[in-house]
Amino acid sequence: MSHHLDSPIARQDPRLDITDLYVFRGEQGTVFVTDHSHSLAGEDIPRGLHPEGKYEFKIDSNGDAVEDVTYRFTFGEADEDGVQTYQVRRLSGPEARNDFAEGTLLGEGRTGEPLDLPGGSRAWVGKAGDPFWIEPDVLHAVGHAFQDGTKVDLSNWNPAEATNLFAGHTVYSIVLEVADEELLRIAGHDRKIDVWAVAFLATDAGSWRPINRAGLPMIHPLFTQYNETLGDRLNENTPSEDIELYGKALTESVAGVVRAYGTAENPEAYAQTVVDRILPNVLPYEIGTPASYGFARWNGRTLTDNAPDVMFSFASNTPVTLGITKESVIAKPTQTFPYVPPAA
């Protein structure tokens, strides 16, 4: 899982769980996608998007891990056919960091239908196939290794029997394609932005509680499978606080695995290099370029990038593979808007 049901509080209502964040080049701009409400949580629970929540794409343009622009989605109650109305708002400057600012209303739509937004941008929200794949035995072995400071124990695993835990499952996707002209006004001269997503829930006290935050893929599977307290804490703060709050703990976790493998002369120094790259937990992207989340470069993330192999191998400083590929995904992404796989 990238973030699928990754913490106790996210599991309380999977509509607020962010299973994955993707950022890539679309037909006419940059595409931002978050997936929610995974069918793995069960079909007897509410599906769709939470009408008392808000879902935000955060964009930082100057590398300080503080959002300069926020795109916010809010939803109405589902009708008898499961259709929800929604609003898309844009907030910039100080408003981008203000839970109560209204920003500018860009458009109002209905789930399952494309929504045109000003300036050539557009949105789509609806039920889709999950394009992500994971092998459960490898997943859990990696979690144990980073919790216990050991090698990834796959001694009883047969790669020939590897399976995709999410094959045939569905999610509810929020898709936002922002036109180049709009985004280039946000980015610096280098066209680079950092992106993360947050799902919030309104509280009885009149505030907003962050339930789930996503930036780079696979952070939670690496570090919180067997540390649920950390899993909740990683969702509570802003990226600009990540190094101070979690840098030491994550460095110790990585160093333990690398020390067990003996693949670095100085495991602590290697671990620090890893943590310096993954914190703050934001997804970098250069506007207008092909996205790729691979061994050579982290530049956005496409719907078919093999993030588990990349992150597991990078963090452990040794090859770790799932034994499956994107071919294990039943519903395939498309090259045209809204890009996400159709629901099976």
Side-chain angles (χ1 to χ4, degrees), residues 15-301:
R15 290 176 295 179
L16 295 162
D17 178 43
I18 304 173
T19 67
D20 284 286
L21 167 68
Y22 303 95
V23 179
F24 54 92
R25 179 69 184 166
E27 295 174 298
Q28 59 195 44
T30 298
V31 182
F32 305 87
V33 179
T34 51
D35 288 339
H36 311 263
S37 194
H38 203 277
S39 61
L40 188 69
E43 294 293 344
D44 57 344
I45 61 170
R47 299 297 307 279
L49 288 307
H50 203 300
E52 296 180 20
K54 62 175 183 174
Y55 301 79
E56 297 184 343
F57 294 105
K58 305 281 195 178
I59 301 174
D60 168 36
S61 63
N62 59 12
D64 64 358
V66 175
E67 60 268 47
D68 299 301
V69 172
T70 293
Y71 291 94
R72 176 183 296 163
F73 286 70
T74 54
F75 294 85
E77 295 279 358
D79 66 17
E80 61 184 10
D81 297 319
V83 175
Q84 294 179 261
T85 59
Y86 67 92
Q87 293 186 338
V88 187
R89 292 181 178 271
R90 183 185 187 275
L91 304 93
S92 60
E95 281 196 340
R97 304 178 285 279
N98 185 337
D99 284 333
F100 302 100
E102 293 190 2
T104 301
L105 177 64
L106 299 181
E108 298 180 274
R110 290 165 50 88
T111 54
E113 301 173 0
L115 172 64
D116 289 330
L117 300 173
S121 298
R122 51 188 174 175
W124 183 90
V125 181
K127 189 176 183 180
D130 187 357
F132 185 69
W133 66 95
I134 197 69
E135 212 296 323
D137 291 334
V138 177
L139 168 70
H140 298 316
V142 167
H144 277 298
F146 280 84
Q147 179 66 23
D148 303 333
T150 64
K151 295 180 179 181
V152 179
D153 184 5
L154 294 171
S155 57
N156 294 320
W157 177 65
N158 181 0
E161 298 176 358
T163 59
N164 177 7
L165 178 64
F166 298 144
H169 277 282
T170 60
V171 292
Y172 280 75
S173 296
I174 299 175
V175 181
L176 174 67
E177 184 167 7
V178 180
D180 286 342
E181 182 179 352
E182 173 71 28
L183 268 191
L184 288 173
R185 288 199 297 264
I186 300 170
H189 67 278
D190 59 2
R191 306 170 68 98
K192 292 181 179 179
I193 56 174
D194 292 320
V195 182
W196 64 100
V198 188
F200 296 86
L201 180 65
T203 71
D204 292 338
S207 61
W208 290 95
R209 182 180 185 183
I211 303 299
N212 220 204
R213 173 164 66 97
L216 296 173
M218 311 311 298
I219 298 297
H220 282 263
L222 279 166
F223 301 110
T224 73
Q225 284 191 61
Y226 302 102
N227 186 345
E228 293 198 324
T229 298
L230 179 60
D232 271 345
R233 288 179 55 217
L234 284 173
N235 294 312
E236 295 173 346
N237 62 283
T238 61
S240 61
E241 302 169 306
D242 281 348
I243 295 173
E244 178 183 356
L245 293 176
Y246 312 118
K248 184 175 184 294
L250 269 55
T251 300
E252 292 174 350
S253 179
V254 172
V257 175
V258 174
R259 187 180 302 110
Y261 276 111
T263 53
E265 188 70 25
N266 186 329
E268 289 73 19
Y270 180 83
Q272 188 63 59
T273 299
V274 170
V275 173
D276 286 346
R277 192 171 185 192
I278 66 176
L279 297 182
N281 182 15
V282 296
L283 182 62
Y285 179 65
E286 182 179 345
I287 296 168
T289 66
S292 177
Y293 199 88
F295 288 102
R297 187 185 185 197
W298 297 353
N299 183 49
R301 179 187 175 195

Side-chain angles (χ1 to χ4, degrees), residues 22 24 131-133 293 301-307 325-326 329 331-335 341:
Y22 303 95
F24 54 92
F132 185 69
W133 66 95
Y293 199 88
R301 179 187 175 195
T302 76
L303 295 166
T304 57
D305 282 334
N306 190 351
T325 69
K326 64 183 180 181
V329 176
K332 309 298 185 183
T334 71
Q335 298 298 312

